[in-house]
């Protein structure tokens, strides 16, 4: 089934050809066509009874660390079972063709890096990394089939995924680099994100306030839609390859 052809305004095409500094912020929507559920999609099976925002919190880990550990183990397996899609690869192509391209992601699925993206800022961490909840020591190995949450070899603390939970601060270096990139770009793309979670959702506005042109690529309207300069509604895996072809093909 061929992609729905997209109409890109000519002025946007020429603007993109003339703009050296591009930034793209991505969310769960960019991984949807790889077969990963978005945060909005209801969870399935054992996890259907839990809201992601509830499980992704220090309170939930405090309350039931094994439940939260197993949820991330389940998501890690889900990520292992999928591959980047054409949306991820199109962003790799843009990085090759533009002198300054920064990819800021809220996704913890590592698919951007897996696709070959280099300059990636992970605002909310990465599910492939595991660290001690107490002494922050990272570990590559842990046994997943124990009755309880694996422990840190240094301080015997509980291990946890190296992701940012609700109520936790973002990694300072990643956030500062993201804010700097947003404030100094010519064009800011918001791709596959509902634009609800802060501070990530403020980056598009930070860019706009510095005169950048904001382009939203999303399957449905978001709070950013009325404020964006260009809106291309649809699937990022169908739109981004066509955009690369139209602008840099
Ligand atoms: C913090 C990692 C300091 C874990 C995640 C100001 C106002 C209100 C609230 C707050 C505020 N400041 C802080 C808060 C609290 C909170 C927050 O924003 N709450 C929200 C719910 C209102 N923020 C925090 O807690 C942050 N920390 O601020 O620390 C602090 C501390 C205390 C108090 C104050 C300040 C930490 C936030 C990070 C949490 N961790 N992930 C994990 O993954 O398990 S957030 C997680 O959810 C994702 O990373 C992502 O950010 C978010 C999900 O959003 P999306 O990725 O956009 O996905 P979603 O499913 O919602 O939407 C998908 C979109 O794609 C849809 O629009 C859909 O239409 C579209 N789509 C679908 N398919 C496609 C598609 N588009 C294109 N193509 C397709 N094929
Ligand atoms: Zn430790």
């Amino acid at each position: 089934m061929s992609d729905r052809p997209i109409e890109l305004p000519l002025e946007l095409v020429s603007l993109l050809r003339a703009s050296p500094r591009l930034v793209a912020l991505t969310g769960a929507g960019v991984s949807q066509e790889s077969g990963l559920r978005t945060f909005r999609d209801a969870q399935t099976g054992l996890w259907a009874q839990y809201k992601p925002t509830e499980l992704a919190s220090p309170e939930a880990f405090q309350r039931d660390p094994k439940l939260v550990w197993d949820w991330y183990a389940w998501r890690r397996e889900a990520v292992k079972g999928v591959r980047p899609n054409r949306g991820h690869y199109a962003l790799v192509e843009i990085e090759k063709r533009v002198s300054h391209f920064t990819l800021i992601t809220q996704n913890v699925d590592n698919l951007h890096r897996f696709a070959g993206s280099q300059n990636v800022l992970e605002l909310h961490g990465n599910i492939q990394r595991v660290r001690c909840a107490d002494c922050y020591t990272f570990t590559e190995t842990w046994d997943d089939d124990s009755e309880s949450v694996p422990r840190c070899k240094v301080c015997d603390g509980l291990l946890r995924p190296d992701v940012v939970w609700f109520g936790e601060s973002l990694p300072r270096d990643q956030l500062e680099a993201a804010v700097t990139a947003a404030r100094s770009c010519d064009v800011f793309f918001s791709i596959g994100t509902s634009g609800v979670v802060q501070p990530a959702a403020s980056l598009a506005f930070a860019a706009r306030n510095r005169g950048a042109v904001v382009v939203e690529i999303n399957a449905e309207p978001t709070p950013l839609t009325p404020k964006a300069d260009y809106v291309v509604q649809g699937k990022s895996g169908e739109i981004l390859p066509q955009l690369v072809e139209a602008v840099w093909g």
Side-chain angles (χ1 to χ4, degrees):
M1 215 275 293
S2 69
D3 296 345
R4 185 170 57 82
I6 57 166
E7 287 309 309
L8 275 182
L10 288 183
E11 81 232 25
L12 176 57
V13 171
S14 47
L15 172 75
L16 289 171
R17 283 183 184 144
S19 300
R21 291 184 301 274
L22 301 188
V23 167
L25 171 72
T26 64
V30 85
S31 294
Q32 186 268 333
E33 292 155 271
S34 293
L36 286 184
R37 316 188 69 76
T38 69
F39 257 66
R40 296 180 148 239
D41 295 337
Q43 302 212 94
T44 58
L46 161 63
W47 307 105
Q49 61 197 290
Y50 303 100
K51 285 208 339 268
T53 44
E54 274 158 17
L55 286 170
S57 69
E59 295 78 19
F61 191 66
Q62 192 72 32
R63 217 178 16 253
D64 188 341
K66 182 70 169 126
L67 178 75
V68 173
W69 176 267
D70 290 348
W71 183 49
Y72 282 97
W74 175 72
R75 290 174 62 188
R76 214 174 284 123
E77 286 315 303
V79 168
K80 277 200 197 111
V82 301
R83 289 288 168 272
N85 64 65
R86 293 180 300 147
H88 294 106
Y89 290 115
L91 291 164
V92 174
E93 290 311 310
I94 295 176
E95 186 170 12
K96 290 181 185 153
R97 289 172 171 75
V98 171
S99 53
H100 298 84
F101 181 71
T102 304
L103 180 51
I104 306 168
T105 190
Q106 300 167 79
N107 301 341
V108 298
D109 59 30
N110 204 43
L111 289 179
H112 284 302
R113 283 225 171 88
F114 201 129
S117 288
Q118 304 297 315
N119 186 14
V120 181
L121 298 174
E122 294 175 327
L123 286 184
H124 297 162
N126 186 315
I127 207 171
Q128 307 295 358
R129 289 194 303 265
V130 165
R131 65 171 175 83
C132 173
D134 300 343
C135 74
Y136 237 91
T137 301
F138 285 86
T139 178
E140 303 291 321
T141 57
W142 60 87
D143 79 29
D144 240 334
D145 50 20
S146 68
E147 279 322 295
S148 61
V149 174
R151 299 248 166 196
C152 170
K153 298 186 185 62
V154 175
C155 77
D156 202 40
L158 291 177
L159 295 183
R160 59 163 284 174
D162 183 38
V163 298
V164 179
W165 283 333
F166 287 94
E168 291 185 325
S169 305
L170 278 56
R172 178 184 299 278
D173 59 338
Q174 304 290 294
L175 180 58
E176 283 177 0
V179 170
T180 304
R183 287 179 173 163
S184 57
C185 68
D186 305 303
V187 181
F188 185 101
F189 286 97
S190 178
I191 307 171
T193 182
S194 57
V196 172
V197 171
Q198 298 293 351
S202 302
L203 291 169
F205 297 92
R208 195 165 169 274
N209 298 345
R210 291 295 178 90
V213 167
V214 173
V215 181
E216 182 179 60
I217 297 174
N218 209 60
E220 59 193 342
T222 74
L224 178 65
T225 307
K227 305 272 186 346
D229 301 287
Y230 298 96
V231 175
V232 188
Q233 194 161 320
K235 291 179 174 286
S236 50
E238 294 177 5
I239 293 167
L240 289 170
Q242 293 182 63
L243 182 142
V244 169
E245 190 52 36
V247 177
W248 296 285

